[in-house]
Amino acid sequence: YRRKMSREESDKIRELLFEKWKYDGSYWDPQVDCSPLPTIFLMKSNVTADDYQQITTFIKGCSLNTLFEITEDGSDAEIELSLFHPDCYETIYCDSNFEWVIYGSHESTITFGGSLLLEFVRQLFGDRADKINKWQQEW
């Protein structure tokens, strides 16, 4: 299930994302404290296929039936959980409660926000904590 949001729906979701996370619909730099709430980021090169699977499973376990997929190009959609994958570019995902966000950048980073999600990612990377919030230019 993928449903393109109407302009009004998209504007409302973006407004709520801005109010809670200060996501303004453009590039959300993980090295700059944009968010009023804590976030952490990982370089995608440090995230394994198993990590992606565990993150996806965690999101499916703490979300309702659908997620919001908000993109830089404005092709915003409501998607079913089975379509979610955190390896994305210039896209932010959240559920209807806006309690967590996952943002993929063109800089090959994934930023996570939300207390339960941060706890999960820190635990997942417990033996690789040196990879959290460590920038590496990849080109």
Side-chain angles (χ1 to χ4, degrees):
Y1 170 79
R2 174 183 293 277
R3 182 184 64 80
K4 182 166 174 41
M5 286 191 245
S6 69
R7 175 57 30 208
E8 294 77 22
E9 285 177 296
S10 179
D11 288 348
K12 183 62 178 171
I13 298 303
R14 287 171 176 267
E15 179 183 313
L16 292 168
L17 277 168
F18 185 78
E19 286 175 12
K20 181 146 187 179
W21 294 99
K22 298 300 180 238
Y23 174 73
D24 67 2
S26 63
Y27 183 56
W28 209 44
D29 189 340
Q31 296 182 87
V32 177
D33 286 332
C34 317
S35 176
L37 301 170
T39 61
I40 60 175
F41 74 90
L42 297 165
M43 297 302 300
K44 289 182 180 184
S45 60
N46 294 320
V47 182
T48 67
D50 183 59
D51 294 331
Y52 280 125
Q53 182 58 48
Q54 289 190 55
I55 293 165
T56 300
T57 299
F58 178 82
I59 292 301
K60 288 177 180 177
C62 69
S63 301
L64 298 174
N65 297 326
T66 61
L67 301 176
F68 296 125
E69 178 184 73
I70 306 301
T71 64
E72 180 182 53
D73 68 5
S75 59
D76 303 343
E78 180 180 21
I79 64 168
E80 68 182 41
L81 290 170
S82 67
L83 297 177
F84 168 73
H85 195 284
D87 187 9
C88 58
Y89 292 90
E90 302 312 325
T91 300
I92 193 165
Y93 289 96
C94 65
D95 68 358
S96 60
N97 296 322
F98 302 91
E99 292 300 314
W100 59 266
V101 292
I102 294 179
Y103 174 79
S105 80
H106 75 276
E107 301 285 356
S108 294
T109 61
I110 304 174
T111 302
F112 304 90
S115 58
L116 290 176
L117 183 54
L118 293 183
E119 182 181 321
F120 172 77
V121 172
R122 285 189 180 106
Q123 183 178 13
L124 180 62
F125 277 76
D127 62 343
R128 299 170 284 165
D130 62 319
K131 305 297 184 195
I132 295 174
N133 293 334
K134 298 297 186 243
W135 174 257
Q136 301 165 234
Q137 191 165 1
E138 297 200 344
W139 58 86

